[in-house]
Amino acid sequence: MTGVGCASRARHDDADAQDTPPRTRATRHGADADDGRPDYRAGRDRVAPAGPQSSARRRAAARPDEPPPLPSKTALRQFLAEAGGRVTKSTIARAFGLTSDQRQSLRMLMREIAEEGGSTQAGKRGIVHPSRLPEMAPVEITGTDPDGDPIARPVQWQGEGRPPIIYMRPEPKGQPALTAGERVLARLKPIGPGKYEGRTFKRIGGGAPARILGVFEEGRIIPTDRRQKGIWQVDPADAAGAKQGEIVLAEPLPSTRHFGPRPARITEVLGVMGEPRSVSLVCIHAHGIPDVFPAEAVQQAEKAHGVTARGRTDLRDVPLVTIDGEDARDFDDAVFAEPDGSGWRVLVAIADVAHYVTTASALDREAWARGNSVYFPDRVVPMLPEALSNGWCSLRPNEERGCLFVEMRFDAEGRKQSHQFGRGIMRSAARLTYEQVQEAADAGSDPASLAPGHVGRLYGAFRALLAAREKRGTLDLDVPERRVMLDAKGNVQAVVPRARLDAHRLIEEFMVAANVCAAEELERLVQPCMYRVHDRPSDQKMEGLRQFLDTFGITLPQSDRLHPRDFARVLEKVRGTPEERLVNEAVLRGQSQAAYSPDNLGHFGLALPRYAHFTSPIRRYADLLVHRALIRGLKLGKDGLTEDEAARFPDTAEHITSTERRAAAAERDAVDRYLAAFMAQRVGESFEARISGVTRFGLFVTLEENGASGIVPLGSLPDDRWDLDEATQSLAGRRTRLIFRLGDAVEARLAEATPRTGGMVFHLMQGLPSRGRGRPAPKGKQRGRRR
């Protein structure tokens, strides 16, 4: 499948965003702590501390007969989250009223919290909540903002989601400016959610990246990462035969330079920038995605052969069908439905990848390392070699294939009555696309290869499951996925929203139901399970989202009463309005990120108490683990989960969560670069857009036409002193009295489009579209009075 056009599937059964804990003021304790603030020693008798002149006997009499209990891990995590910053063992002991005899136990508790990722070291004796940064920490410069000021990220980050942004203060006169890749020890001060101001305390070196990815031009390497502002000089002896315009990998060379380009040596020439497929090539290397299979794994895949019916349930007479995108090449799931009394019988069959990819084999090691397949507009980097992903593990029509299946029975309202798993052999009756299925359903007909009523029965079961989902109340975000249309030569023809049909939702509902059954079955069998978990949004994110929604007159319940259906009501209110896309994206950003875990936290977005990925073992390692656990628990073969493999579940969960996020970042990066290449032909044109971000260094806009996004630098706005109001997400001019708010409709002219980095720069035109939120058409809304 490598090198073959295969776009990412439009099956979104998870809501992925970021999560960080709230910040409140730390609590005081002691004789004067009775000031209305929470007391972590609630329920205990407080004892006034003895004065300096008290005798040992009086101090002993003042001590309680029984030492207070140690705080629970939950209570300690809450204390760290509410603390203003760094805390020490003594701070915790005072807060919970602990005695000196309990210091050792407290030390062990703190160590356990740290090992579980509940705290981060801050200095020699202090700790902070993992979502916070200490007052002083090492940071790495990643680039500069449009004003030329350095931007950094923490070198060590253990919190969830993306690391915070650190805006570094300019260096004192006479000191060289901070450059991309340089590391410094910085004093940090929080200036907003996920934002810090940094001031250099000490330069600690280690500046150069381990490798450089860029375009070779006139003896220099121009980085393809827009965050890297540095340029690298290559001596002709170190050019490795690279030619003008080629994409290269290089390594930095030692240097004492503080200004100008730094030296580098080219280690590999990858291709020519601007040629078809160069975009995905850059993204593969920029994100460190493995794209070459070891010879041992390829040989093992090529030796594979078909399965026999022995020991398997024979499903060859069941007209199972695959339904995928028109550009799909791997078919790992097939479905069937028929009436069952007043309800429905649904069969979901999944390719039996575990039969071919056995534990600790060369194939297994490589699949674990990759974690998942990565989909680009012009190619796919598969988790498994082509002999399996496009061969024996692909449910091709009219070819016998091994499978794991689940038979589910639902009542007329879509409530599951029972399920049963098995290992079978099947023969797909047809390979259908979403568009074909939708056309057949709308016309009340069936494809020629299927018996009359086949599609109608699928939709009948789908409508029952959809009714149950709507009654359950789930988060169903409508954020259009961008589809890059390429011609035969690999050039961008168009970038359009990917259609979301009922045929897509049909497969989603069947897959979600099968995934729930897998989690329930493993719990019933008392087997390890790799859950797909999605925590509820953090209080901090909800506060920001509430402030944003308040600008549209929309409210949300308090966090402790929040349910996915509350978000559904929000989305329903803006459906069909100009703000629909913006609100959908804001709600998405307000969610925590979905992840894999051996511990069940439930799935907030789907409103499900348990959930596990089972339906795509060709392209997700998590699903393969669930298959192996089911095989072991149901005694379906000798290739089930091993004890050693189960013991590694926590590490594997962390790893495959990381590879999944890496893949998502690479896929977004590729679309952005293709979009920049497409838009480069339209520099100077004006577009209808909406403000999608407001920062201290400018605005971000998103085009209505194709979802392209870019920056509007502060310097391109009218000459004024601009004030940022984070609460209302607005930028206001003191002299011009113009206000630019998040969500405002604007007319934006494309000033720059750089395919090498995927970056675009826009300038706002004089005038807003008159239809934008009922506002007049000046460039920004004028204020009635100065602030």
Side-chain angles (χ1 to χ4, degrees), residues 536-576:
R536 62 177 51 250
S538 69
D539 292 342
Q540 183 181 13
K541 286 205 167 190
M542 283 301 94
E543 184 57 34
L545 181 60
R546 284 191 183 91
Q547 291 179 359
F548 169 70
L549 293 177
D550 187 56
T551 63
F552 301 101
I554 301 174
T555 59
L556 276 175
Q558 293 302 312
S559 296
D560 58 346
R561 294 184 286 111
L562 201 61
H563 189 275
R565 66 170 62 92
D566 297 314
F567 292 110
R569 295 191 188 103
V570 169
L571 301 179
E572 186 59 37
K573 287 183 179 180
V574 298
R575 196 178 307 281

Side-chain angles (χ1 to χ4, degrees), residues 293-564:
F293 284 100
E296 187 181 1
V298 174
Q299 291 169 3
Q300 186 178 341
E302 291 176 345
K303 291 179 181 177
H305 51 78
V307 302
T308 65
R310 184 178 179 182
R312 293 177 178 266
T313 303
D314 195 338
L315 301 176
R316 286 174 288 189
D317 292 333
V318 178
L320 289 151
V321 296
T322 62
I323 305 176
D324 295 272
E326 60 184 356
D327 49 2
R329 286 287 306 277
D330 54 337
F331 317 123
D332 52 7
D333 54 71
V335 297
F336 169 79
E338 65 179 359
D340 182 41
S342 60
W344 297 92
R345 172 178 175 253
V346 175
L347 209 64
V348 173
I350 309 298
D352 190 359
V353 177
H355 174 79
Y356 298 100
V357 184
T358 54
T359 302
S361 65
L363 278 171
D364 184 49
R365 290 193 298 270
E366 185 64 15
W368 183 94
R370 296 180 178 223
N372 43 257
S373 298
V374 188
Y375 294 86
F376 298 107
D378 66 332
R379 73 174 83 189
V380 61
V381 180
M383 187 179 78
L384 300 174
E386 186 172 0
L388 292 181
S389 58
N390 281 348
W392 293 112
C393 293
S394 187
L395 306 181
R396 294 174 176 175
N398 302 314
E399 295 184 17
E400 293 185 1
R401 292 289 186 266
C403 66
L404 259 68
F405 68 89
V406 56
E407 180 183 25
M408 301 173 285
R409 297 182 186 273
F410 302 90
D411 64 16
E413 284 74 40
R415 295 186 294 260
K416 183 168 68 72
Q417 304 300 299
S418 65
H419 70 253
Q420 182 178 358
F421 282 86
R423 206 169 192 178
I425 184 170
M426 60 163 286
R427 185 188 295 114
S428 173
R431 178 269 200 265
L432 305 175
T433 67
Y434 293 117
E435 291 75 16
Q436 287 174 327
V437 173
Q438 190 65 54
E439 289 175 7
D442 293 341
S445 61
D446 288 273
S449 56
L450 299 177
H454 192 108
V455 171
R457 290 189 287 273
L458 289 174
Y459 271 77
F462 158 61
R463 283 189 285 269
L465 293 177
L466 185 61
R469 178 185 182 124
E470 292 173 347
K471 185 176 181 180
R472 189 170 76 239
T474 64
L475 177 61
D476 191 12
L477 290 165
D478 189 14
V479 180
E481 181 183 355
R482 294 173 295 179
R483 182 182 179 188
V484 179
M485 309 289 290
L486 304 177
D487 61 20
K489 296 182 179 179
N491 298 313
V492 183
Q493 286 185 313
V495 180
V496 297
R498 188 181 291 273
R500 190 160 185 254
L501 309 171
D502 277 347
H504 291 100
R505 295 182 174 93
L506 183 154
I507 291 298
E508 288 173 12
E509 289 305 315
F510 284 11
M511 298 303 117
V512 167
N515 289 337
V516 171
C517 290
E520 291 177 348
E521 186 72 0
L522 290 178
E523 288 188 2
R524 184 186 73 81
L525 296 168
V526 196
Q527 292 293 320
C529 180
M530 185 60 74
Y531 292 97
R532 180 65 167 178
V533 298
H534 180 227
D535 206 355
R536 62 177 51 250
S538 69
D539 292 342
Q540 183 181 13
K541 286 205 167 190
M542 283 301 94
E543 184 57 34
L545 181 60
R546 284 191 183 91
Q547 291 179 359
F548 169 70
L549 293 177
D550 187 56
T551 63
F552 301 101
I554 301 174
T555 59
L556 276 175
Q558 293 302 312
S559 296
D560 58 346
R561 294 184 286 111
L562 201 61
H563 189 275

Side-chain angles (χ1 to χ4, degrees), residues 632-712:
R632 182 171 87 167
L634 294 168
K635 298 179 174 55
L636 297 175
K638 298 180 180 179
D639 45 7
L641 193 71
T642 66
E643 287 298 330
D644 289 344
E645 194 173 21
R648 294 193 302 270
F649 260 35
D651 291 338
T652 298
E654 182 177 343
H655 170 72
I656 59 179
T657 297
S658 173
T659 60
E660 178 186 65
R661 293 176 184 173
R662 176 183 68 183
E667 291 168 355
R668 286 194 303 267
D669 189 12
V671 172
D672 288 343
R673 291 173 192 267
Y674 270 113
L675 199 45
F678 176 64
M679 296 295 288
Q681 308 165 28
R682 306 177 69 180
V683 170
E685 292 186 31
S686 296
F687 304 87
E688 293 182 1
R690 287 197 175 270
I691 296 176
S692 53
V694 181
T695 71
R696 71 183 184 92
F697 50 82
L699 306 170
F700 287 91
V701 294
T702 299
L703 305 190
E704 300 283 5
E705 178 181 316
N706 54 25
S709 296
I711 190 171
V712 179

Side-chain angles (χ1 to χ4, degrees), residues 87-108:
V87 299
T88 64
K89 185 170 72 222
S90 298
T91 308
I92 298 171
R94 285 195 301 271
F96 291 93
L98 305 180
T99 67
S100 58
D101 295 338
Q102 295 175 291
R103 291 295 181 96
Q104 181 62 28
S105 298
L106 176 59
R107 187 180 296 112
M108 294 177 63

Side-chain angles (χ1 to χ4, degrees), residues 215-221 233-234 244-245:
V215 180
F216 187 58
E217 295 180 359
E218 298 180 351
R220 295 185 175 189
I221 300 173
Q233 186 77 41
V234 179
Q244 182 86 355

